[in-house]
């Protein structure tokens, strides 16, 4: 089954507000990835994190790799309407000797102008 | 570069029909994978391949077959479609074959309905 728990499932915010979402797992991850999926499109990578405690920014987006390596956080500052979409966390999981990318169920963000 | 391309964009099948979802990439990526996306379920891995001639099962492989005869192409076959396979299917690829190290590039998706 899926290994990553994302919360919240959905968010409805006003333009200009800040957004926080997180992803947790019972397994340790060595890499955390955050993707955004816009309606009708495939996911696109926003931020990649490779080291526990790492804090990385991409414009108004900031993501952190949790110290325990079992969680990660994504913040969006001063949201705008084009931030609408589903945000997924993902990480590589080694099972049966090979590495696969597993995804959380996503946080659906709606921004009201 | 076209990136990752998928055909068709939309497909309607009747229960029991077979079809192949096509996926191609022109980035010389070793790693390719297929996911299905259902409401509230995120992206679940169906099958993946770390290089030509090598495939392996993901989280939800039942009812699907894959092959990887070339680096560029990774088709997904439904041998006998079932309504439970109604979903949006995404193909993805990455360079080094290690999912966590490299960015996975996703195609635009195929929306499949099985009646």
């Amino acid at each position: 089954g899926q290994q990553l728990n994302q919360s919240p499932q959905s968010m409805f915010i006003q333009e200009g507000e800040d957004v926080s979402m997180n992803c947790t797992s019972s397994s340790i991850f060595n890499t955390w990835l955050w993707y955004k999926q816009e309606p009708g499109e495939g996911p696109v990578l926003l931020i990649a994190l490779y080291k526990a405690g790492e804090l990385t920014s991409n414009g108004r987006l900031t993501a952190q790799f949790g110290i325990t390596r079992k969680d990660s956080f994504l913040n969006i500052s001063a949201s705008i309407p084009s931030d609408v979409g589903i945000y997924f966390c993902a990480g590589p999981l080694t099972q049966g000797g090979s590495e696969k990318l597993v995804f959380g169920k996503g946080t659906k963000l709606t921004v009201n102008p | 570069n076209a990136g990752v391309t998928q055909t068709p964009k939309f497909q309607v099948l009747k229960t029991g029909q077979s079809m192949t979802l096509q996926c191609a990439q022109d980035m010389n990526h070793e790693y390719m994978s297929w996911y299905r996306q259902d409401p509230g379920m995120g992206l679940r891995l169906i099958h993946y391949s770390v290089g030509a001639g090598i495939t392996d099962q993901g989280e939800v492989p039942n009812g699907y077959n894959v092959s990887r005869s070339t680096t560029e192409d990774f088709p997904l076959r439904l041998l006998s479609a079932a309504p439970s396979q109604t979903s949006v299917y995404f193909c993805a690829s990455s360079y080094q074959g290690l999912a966590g190290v490299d960015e996975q590039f996703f195609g635009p998706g195929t929306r499949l309905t099985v009646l």
Side-chain angles (χ1 to χ4, degrees):
Chain A
Q2 287 187 311
Q3 309 280 339
L4 300 179
N5 300 307
Q6 255 186 280
S7 66
Q9 282 189 325
S10 60
M11 303 182 76
F12 297 84
I13 62 169
Q14 292 297 125
E15 183 176 0
E17 288 183 8
D18 296 343
V19 172
S20 290
M21 59 190 80
N22 69 77
C23 194
T24 61
S25 175
S26 57
S27 304
I28 287 175
F29 282 81
N30 293 319
T31 300
W32 284 95
L33 306 173
W34 283 94
Y35 283 82
K36 178 189 177 186
Q37 183 182 26
E38 298 189 0
E41 305 287 332
V44 174
L45 184 69
L46 297 173
I47 293 178
L49 303 162
Y50 298 107
K51 194 172 158 185
E54 181 182 352
L55 190 71
T56 297
S57 293
N58 178 3
R60 293 178 295 105
L61 277 62
T62 301
Q64 183 162 21
F65 193 139
I67 292 291
T68 66
R69 291 162 64 195
K70 293 183 177 182
D71 56 10
S72 180
F73 307 88
L74 177 70
N75 295 315
I76 305 172
S77 62
S79 59
I80 59 178
S82 62
D83 290 333
V84 162
I86 303 176
Y87 291 80
F88 292 101
C89 62
L93 205 62
T94 300
Q95 288 177 332
S98 60
E99 203 168 55
K100 307 165 200 176
L101 194 64
V102 294
F103 284 78
K105 294 185 179 181
T107 294
K108 185 174 182 180
L109 179 64
T110 302
V111 180
N112 295 316
Chain B
N1 286 352
V4 180
T5 58
Q6 290 184 238
T7 56
K9 276 194 79 76
F10 302 93
Q11 182 70 50
V12 178
L13 293 177
K14 294 180 181 175
T15 297
Q17 284 186 316
S18 63
M19 82 157 293
T20 299
L21 279 63
Q22 301 292 344
C23 175
Q25 53 89 12
D26 60 359
M27 297 174 281
N28 204 32
H29 285 172
E30 290 294 324
Y31 186 98
M32 295 186 75
S33 54
W34 277 101
Y35 295 86
R36 60 176 290 172
Q37 184 175 27
D38 302 293
M41 295 297 293
L43 292 150
R44 293 184 291 170
L45 183 64
I46 304 172
H47 285 285
Y48 66 102
S49 168
V50 298
I54 307 169
T55 64
D56 207 345
Q57 295 181 347
E59 182 186 355
V60 288
N62 292 341
Y64 307 96
N65 280 353
V66 292
S67 60
R68 184 94 181 271
S69 55
T70 67
T71 299
E72 294 78 19
D73 300 298
F74 191 43
L76 179 72
R77 295 184 193 85
L78 284 71
L79 299 178
S80 178
S84 61
Q85 292 178 305
T86 293
S87 187
V88 181
Y89 292 84
F90 288 100
C91 178
S93 72
S94 64
Y95 179 61
Q96 288 185 342
L98 295 177
V101 173
D102 282 302
E103 173 181 0
Q104 283 215 5
F105 293 84
F106 282 81
T110 293
R111 282 147 185 81
L112 176 68
T113 301
V114 183
L115 303 174

